[in-house]
Amino acid sequence: MILFRGRRVLASLLLCILLLTTACATKPPSRFDQVQQESTKQKTGQAVAKNATQGSKLNKFFPEGDDGYDRVYTQEKKGFSEANLKKDGKVVAQLAISDTTSTPTVASKYSNSTKEIDGYPAVELGKTQTSILVGKYQVKVISKDPLFNASDREDWIEKFDLDGLEKLK
Amino acid sequence: MSKPIFELVDELPTSGLTVSMLNALDFIVPGEWQNTVGFVNTIKTVTGEDDEDLIQQIGERAIYLFNDKSQGYQTALWLYQTVDSADYALGAAALANKVGDTIPLLGFLNNLTPKPDKAQTIDLSLKVVAELVAFCQINGIPGDSIGDFVSALGEYSGESIIRMAALISVDGLIPLGPDFIEKSLSMISNMNPGELEGNSTFRTMQDAIPGDNTGGKLDFIGNSLDGVKGWMNGMIAANALTAEKVLNHLSGFLEFTDDKLDYVAAFIDVSTNYYEHTGTQTLAKRLIERAIAEI
């Protein structure tokens, strides 16, 4: 009998614990909660600066495809333009120009840069990215295929019309 | 305001009828689609980077871009969700006890009413238009560029191409038959604006469809369908696609008899959300690709 009651007590105890824990279980905080809050304070205009250059104006500074490479434009937004670089139908890299007016901290990362490509301050980031700062524009080449390495990225950065882009206001 | 984009991507399911169906359609575009889920995991997969600090920066920029309404990403997501919004209760009931098992359709027939061809045609056409408008919103080209969209279809891959394969299969071939494109085009051209206004999905998304009034929007819908006709026919021809062939592949998890095709279409309609599922993946991918280029 005592044993039976003990079991009953234990069962109710377990049930209470179950109810309590499930009732109180909230979603664990995410590492992106803070930025979610910050970025929803305004409905528009917080990600891309009003005076950022239209993507369509950036397209003409991209390199042409050549030597078996095809260049296919993908995104063209205010302050940003991007193209895929394809070889044998496969995307091997992405080429992009962005207006750093919208992202002021991006421009500042070049102030410590010790590397240059074609006379412009250059930065390598992570395993896949090489970029330079041309005036207020960041020109970036991103590897999408491991065979497309840092030296390929530099080659393709040099193929952009960098002088022309520098003159664009 | 819908849920945060990182939550939507985190909550994408790894199993269930939508995922089973898309996997079963892999034969049309072999190896193109992997069901990448989870925001951080998607960042890693799309960028090939694994440095946590870098992932944080990419994720934060992507969230900023998504939450800026002027960038069009939210409209695109809303379109993917809207054209997929059916009553999922039936599908959920079917799945409750059957995940990973075959689902005998016969038991559900009493609860299903196949849509008439006209409603099915509008459904198909609105999905095409949603794809076009969402594509333009995500990639930044004017919302009525049918030509740009059609040439971009040739570049579709991954979750975008499996979405199109599913559209052709389960919203075209199965409910409407082998000549579904011609059939839909002729139905749309004979439709009057009032009939279109009677469709609830159209009413919900009409503001996003180019055109001054319902008549203009109807024209745009017809032109869009006409624009993708050649590309769709090419995909059908390249794979010798037929309803029977598609059903053979679906029969791995769905049991039905051949004379119940309309019911299969209706069942898939209420129990999957492949447009929203793959649309969320497309959107996340494009946001992340832009974010890594901008940081």
Side-chain angles (χ1 to χ4, degrees):
Chain A
M1 189 64 188
I2 292 169
L3 185 69
F4 179 68
R5 242 174 59 184
R7 272 189 187 170
R8 247 194 2 201
V9 170
L10 186 67
S12 4
L13 196 67
L14 283 174
L15 189 67
C16 287
I17 291 172
L18 184 76
L19 286 172
L20 275 172
T21 48
T22 47
C24 297
T26 48
K27 263 184 306 177
S30 161
R31 60 199 269 190
F32 298 111
D33 282 342
Q34 198 189 337
V35 73
Q36 173 67 18
Q37 272 190 345
E38 284 168 16
S39 63
T40 44
K41 281 182 187 152
Q42 297 162 256
K43 282 195 163 100
T44 62
Q46 72 273 45
V48 179
K50 259 188 190 153
N51 56 346
T53 309
Q54 290 294 344
S56 53
K57 286 194 180 159
L58 302 172
N59 289 347
K60 63 179 173 191
F61 303 105
F62 278 70
E64 299 283 333
D66 65 8
D67 230 8
Y69 286 95
D70 287 322
R71 180 212 55 199
V72 183
Y73 288 113
T74 51
Q75 291 197 63
E76 181 191 297
K77 311 278 280 198
K78 192 175 189 181
F80 179 73
S81 184
E82 185 172 52
N84 281 339
L85 193 64
K86 295 175 84 175
K87 195 167 194 185
D88 301 325
K90 189 172 182 271
V91 179
V92 291
Q94 272 164 344
L95 316 173
I97 302 177
S98 55
D99 185 335
T100 61
T101 314
S102 315
T103 49
T105 53
V106 168
S108 65
K109 80 181 173 196
Y110 290 92
S111 53
N112 298 324
S113 143
T114 50
K115 191 178 157 66
E116 283 191 348
I117 298 174
D118 259 10
Y120 297 100
V123 167
E124 265 195 48
L125 194 58
K127 295 185 285 190
T128 62
Q129 310 160 63
T130 305
S131 57
I132 59 169
L133 188 69
V134 181
K136 61 170 182 164
Y137 301 103
Q138 175 169 253
V139 176
K140 197 179 256 200
V141 177
I142 304 157
S143 298
K144 299 298 277 186
D145 184 315
L147 295 175
F148 195 94
N149 57 28
S151 132
D152 295 320
R153 296 201 293 268
E154 281 191 30
D155 289 349
W156 278 91
I157 283 184
E158 288 172 357
K159 291 182 193 198
F160 279 81
D161 177 8
L162 302 174
D163 296 342
L165 184 62
E166 193 175 20
K167 288 183 197 114
L168 182 69
K169 295 295 167 207
Chain B
M1 174 70 203
S2 63
K3 280 188 181 181
I5 184 65
F6 62 87
E7 261 181 48
L8 289 170
V9 182
D10 281 343
E11 288 168 6
L12 286 172
T14 54
S15 64
L17 211 54
T18 301
V19 175
S20 299
M21 183 184 84
L22 292 171
N23 278 325
L25 295 175
D26 178 74
F27 77 99
I28 306 172
V29 284
E32 279 287 344
W33 180 69
Q34 275 81 40
N35 187 32
T36 307
V37 302
F39 191 60
V40 167
N41 182 42
T42 305
I43 295 174
K44 289 180 181 171
T45 309
V46 169
T47 65
E49 298 286 2
D50 49 19
D51 179 84
E52 287 300 325
D53 180 48
L54 201 52
I55 288 168
Q56 186 71 24
Q57 287 182 51
I58 296 167
E60 291 187 354
R61 182 65 187 151
I63 290 165
Y64 255 96
L65 288 166
F66 178 78
N67 287 336
D68 188 333
K69 280 198 170 150
S70 69
Q71 294 300 297
Y73 298 110
Q74 291 190 28
T75 309
L77 180 67
W78 176 80
L79 282 167
Y80 288 132
Q81 292 171 335
T82 301
V83 287
D84 231 345
S85 57
D87 174 13
Y88 298 125
L90 185 66
L95 284 168
N97 302 311
K98 289 286 177 187
V99 174
D101 226 339
T102 53
I103 299 162
L105 197 54
L106 298 174
F108 294 101
L109 291 188
N110 295 337
N111 301 319
L112 282 171
T113 314
K115 279 186 198 166
D117 278 5
K118 195 167 273 176
Q120 199 71 55
T121 297
I122 296 176
D123 192 27
L124 170 80
S125 312
L126 289 179
K127 279 184 173 148
V128 169
V129 170
E131 184 71 30
L132 194 162
V133 177
F135 176 88
C136 295
Q137 290 283 339
I138 291 175
N139 299 295
I141 51 180
D144 55 356
S145 320
I146 296 179
D148 284 342
F149 170 68
V150 172
S151 53
L153 273 176
E155 292 289 322
Y156 263 33
S157 63
E159 72 298 320
S160 300
I161 195 80
I162 197 85
R163 180 167 61 249
M164 293 297 98
L167 175 68
I168 290 172
S169 303
V170 305
D171 283 300
L173 286 169
I174 295 179
L176 293 164
D179 55 348
F180 74 91
I181 301 174
E182 288 303 334
K183 203 164 153 183
S184 303
L185 276 171
S186 109
M187 215 175 263
I188 294 281
S189 67
N190 290 318
M191 198 173 281
N192 62 54
E195 285 175 279
L196 189 60
E197 279 165 0
N199 181 283
S200 62
T201 309
F202 172 77
R203 284 201 304 274
T204 310
M205 67 178 273
Q206 58 178 331
D207 289 344
I209 302 175
D212 292 338
N213 49 35
T214 308
K217 292 174 198 292
L218 187 58
D219 286 346
F220 184 81
I221 293 171
N223 292 340
S224 305
L225 201 57
D226 196 47
V228 301
K229 182 174 76 174
W231 183 83
M232 280 191 172
N233 277 328
M235 195 158 175
I236 293 167
N239 295 282
L241 281 186
T242 58
E244 290 70 28
K245 198 168 172 182
V246 171
L247 289 165
N248 261 334
H249 285 266
L250 297 186
S251 63
F253 62 92
L254 209 53
E255 279 175 11
F256 46 81
T257 52
D258 284 348
D259 58 336
K260 301 291 183 205
L261 281 196
D262 289 353
Y263 289 92
V264 176
F267 180 76
I268 289 174
D269 204 28
V270 298
S271 56
T272 68
N273 63 338
Y274 76 89
Y275 236 86
E276 179 179 358
H277 186 101
T278 60
T280 307
Q281 291 176 325
T282 295
L283 183 73
K285 196 172 158 185
R286 309 302 272 167
L287 275 171
I288 290 164
E289 282 175 348
R290 177 172 174 189
I292 191 179
E294 285 191 342
I295 60 163

